[in-house]
Amino acid sequence: MIRVKDDEQLLVGLDIGTTKICVVVGKASESQVHIVGIGSHPSTGLRKGVVVNMDSTVNSIKKAVEEAELMAGIKIDSCLAGIGGAHIKSFNSNGVVAVKDREVRPDDIDRAIDAAKAVAIPADRELIHVIPQEFIVDDQDGIRDPVGITGVRLEVKVHIVTGSISSAQNIIKCCKLAGLNVDDVILCQLASAEAVLTPEEKEIGVAVVDIGGGTSDIAVYANGAIKHTSVLPFGGNNITNDIAIGLRTPIDDAEKIKKKYGCAMASLVGQNETIEVPSVGGRKPRTLQRKTLADIIEPRVEEVASLIYEEIKKSGLEKLLASGVVLTGGCSNLDGLPEMAENIFNLPARKGDPIGVGGLIDVVNNPAYATAVGLLLFGFKEGRGKKRGFDATRSMKRLFSNQKMLTKMKDWFKEIF
């Protein structure tokens, strides 16, 4: 068993994806997260990031957790879970309050954020994140931390992420049935960004595009803050289906062919390269040119990249992406994808491997593990794995952490007793 020192804490990230369930275990010290275990298992119970088969999802989570436990030598009973899917919606908001004592204090910030999130949200949706982008004190904007600054008016701009209550509850229920408590639920692309971006990229502007099996998740950063997030309901599975139909081969074999021989640009494939393609119905395998496979993949990848670019343009932020595009997720391992992205976006593009962690770096050095590693880094940054919950418990904690409310309640009890 791994021994954890007093100044260390274990973090567990659970990425529940459409094509795979991934568990990454990290040991957090004062300065860094060290990867000590990883587990992965194919996922069959989700469609486009949403649970459609509870039993299959629970079974996949259990298998991935068992593998991670075996590698790390620990017993896993809680996790930070990623959430995604087309049900995710986000928008920007702002809130303004008067500064009480002419000097900004933490409770002024809390009141400003409360004002910013006081927006109408449908009854079937729940807040997942309220992320401050910048603060404005009087006429001074671009402030990251306004505590101690003198002023009479405090404004905060925030990015609000909401999700379907039922989808979030289904993820939590699957985790509990697999024997895991959920410490927090974190948006997948925010986690991926935490794992693959540098502070410099976030500052001068960058888009993270996490292309998974069922969805493509987008996050745009500028001036060091998140500006836009969205989820599009297509991904690597669309490419796999095209290969299966175009080459008349089973889906499982099409996925293997895509991973081993796939290329996003036919011009990058040699004329004499060949591949062996299994047939359906017990027929003999066939030998085809690899360029034939690339000719099938290229139009679909071009379509997906174009739709992602249109989504970014719709947000009005395409001119802020001085650092270009960082591609992550399992599909970003496809040969030629960065080159295709550069052609579509007319911006520099690179593949995003997880950075900023220690330990078993070679094991997680793959864009497919970016979200799971990012969950650890997100939890480390937000409080080194302290439980923050994703239900009524979180609201109760906020209520009782409010000093003013505590004072009022003490007064009530004195009056009663």
Side-chain angles (χ1 to χ4, degrees):
M1 298 289 283
I2 286 179
R3 305 187 77 173
V4 184
K5 299 176 183 177
D6 291 339
D7 61 342
E8 293 176 334
Q9 192 167 13
L10 284 173
L11 294 163
V12 178
L14 173 62
D15 176 18
I16 306 175
T18 303
T19 56
K20 77 175 190 317
I21 306 288
C22 180
V23 177
V24 175
V25 183
K27 187 170 62 172
S29 62
E30 283 297 324
S31 59
Q32 195 179 39
V33 176
H34 296 268
I35 306 300
V36 295
I38 183 170
S40 183
H41 194 270
S43 172
T44 57
L46 287 92
R47 184 172 295 130
K48 299 188 184 300
V50 176
V51 177
V52 295
N53 187 314
M54 193 79 69
D55 291 339
S56 296
T57 304
V58 170
N59 183 58
S60 296
I61 293 174
K62 285 181 177 178
K63 293 287 179 59
V65 168
E66 287 171 4
E67 188 178 325
E69 287 178 335
L70 188 63
M71 181 181 288
I74 62 166
K75 176 66 178 174
I76 297 172
D77 56 13
S78 65
C79 67
L80 297 160
I83 188 170
H87 66 95
I88 296 293
K89 305 293 180 187
S90 63
F91 56 93
N92 294 324
S93 180
N94 68 307
V96 182
V97 295
V99 178
K100 289 182 179 179
D101 301 319
R102 298 187 62 86
E103 182 179 302
V104 179
R105 301 189 184 280
D107 65 319
D108 294 316
I109 295 174
D110 291 340
R111 288 190 299 112
I113 292 175
D114 286 340
K117 67 183 183 183
V119 293
I121 297 176
D124 63 340
R125 305 190 67 77
E126 184 167 0
L127 286 175
I128 297 175
H129 294 290
V130 180
I131 307 169
Q133 297 171 321
E134 68 167 328
F135 293 90
I136 303 170
V137 179
D138 294 343
D139 294 324
Q140 180 62 51
D141 60 2
I143 299 172
R144 301 282 175 83
D145 184 2
V147 174
I149 294 178
T150 301
V152 296
R153 179 181 182 275
L154 175 65
E155 180 178 356
V156 62
K157 294 183 179 181
V158 300
H159 185 69
I160 295 177
V161 180
T162 70
S164 163
I165 291 176
S166 59
S167 296
Q169 287 177 342
N170 284 335
I171 287 176
I172 294 172
K173 187 175 180 181
C174 286
C175 292
K176 288 187 175 180
L177 290 173
L180 298 176
N181 291 318
V182 178
D183 293 343
D184 206 350
V185 173
I186 298 164
L187 186 64
C188 288
Q189 57 263 52
L190 292 181
S192 297
E194 202 66 41
V196 303
L197 295 184
T198 65
E200 292 77 18
E201 286 175 322
K202 289 182 180 180
E203 191 64 40
I204 66 176
V206 65
V208 177
V209 179
D210 188 333
I211 307 177
T215 61
S216 293
D217 304 335
I218 304 166
V220 178
Y221 286 81
N223 300 321
I226 184 72
K227 298 295 183 182
H228 174 76
T229 55
S230 57
V231 180
L232 300 179
F234 43 75
N237 287 352
N238 298 88
I239 301 171
T240 302
N241 291 336
D242 287 353
I243 295 171
I245 294 169
L247 299 184
R248 300 188 301 280
T249 190
I251 291 288
D252 289 344
D253 291 313
E255 180 68 18
K256 293 174 184 176
I257 290 170
K258 180 185 76 174
K259 290 180 177 179
K260 191 172 183 180
Y261 302 109
C263 185
M265 295 184 70
S267 60
L268 300 178
V269 178
Q271 293 291 335
N272 298 323
E273 294 183 66
T274 60
I275 61 173
E276 188 175 88
V277 179
S279 297
V280 294
R283 298 181 181 89
K284 292 181 180 179
R286 294 157 292 141
T287 300
L288 299 174
Q289 285 190 320
R290 188 186 175 204
K291 191 175 184 302
T292 303
L293 172 64
D295 286 335
I296 294 171
I297 293 174
E298 183 172 345
R300 177 64 76 179
V301 172
E302 187 174 358
E303 179 192 23
V304 170
S306 298
L307 289 170
I308 290 170
Y309 186 45
E310 286 300 317
E311 176 66 22
I312 293 175
K313 286 202 293 185
K314 196 188 302 181
S315 71
L317 300 170
E318 74 276 10
K319 293 181 180 179
L320 298 180
L321 307 181
S323 289
V325 182
V326 177
L327 303 168
T328 189
C331 198
S332 63
N333 285 314
L334 191 66
D335 285 350
L337 188 59
E339 291 82 354
M340 173 65 78
E342 288 184 350
N343 290 342
I344 299 296
F345 288 82
N346 197 27
L347 291 166
R350 70 172 177 87
K351 189 171 72 169
D353 295 320
I355 56 176
V357 293
L360 303 175
I361 302 173
D362 56 329
V363 179
V364 296
N365 190 30
N366 188 316
Y369 299 131
T371 299
V373 172
L375 290 169
L376 301 187
L377 293 172
F378 200 99
F380 177 67
K381 180 181 176 182
E382 293 294 312
R384 295 204 296 146
K386 292 179 182 177
K387 295 187 178 182
R388 296 183 291 134
F390 182 74
D391 50 19
T393 307
R394 174 154 47 177
S395 301
M396 291 301 291
K397 285 180 181 177
R398 286 176 178 168
L399 174 67
F400 287 106
S401 64
N402 188 314
Q403 192 61 43
K404 188 175 180 181
M405 181 60 74
L406 267 177
T407 304
K408 282 185 178 181
M409 292 184 72
K410 287 177 181 176
D411 293 339
W412 291 340
F413 281 117
K414 284 178 182 178
E415 291 177 8
I416 295 171
F417 298 106

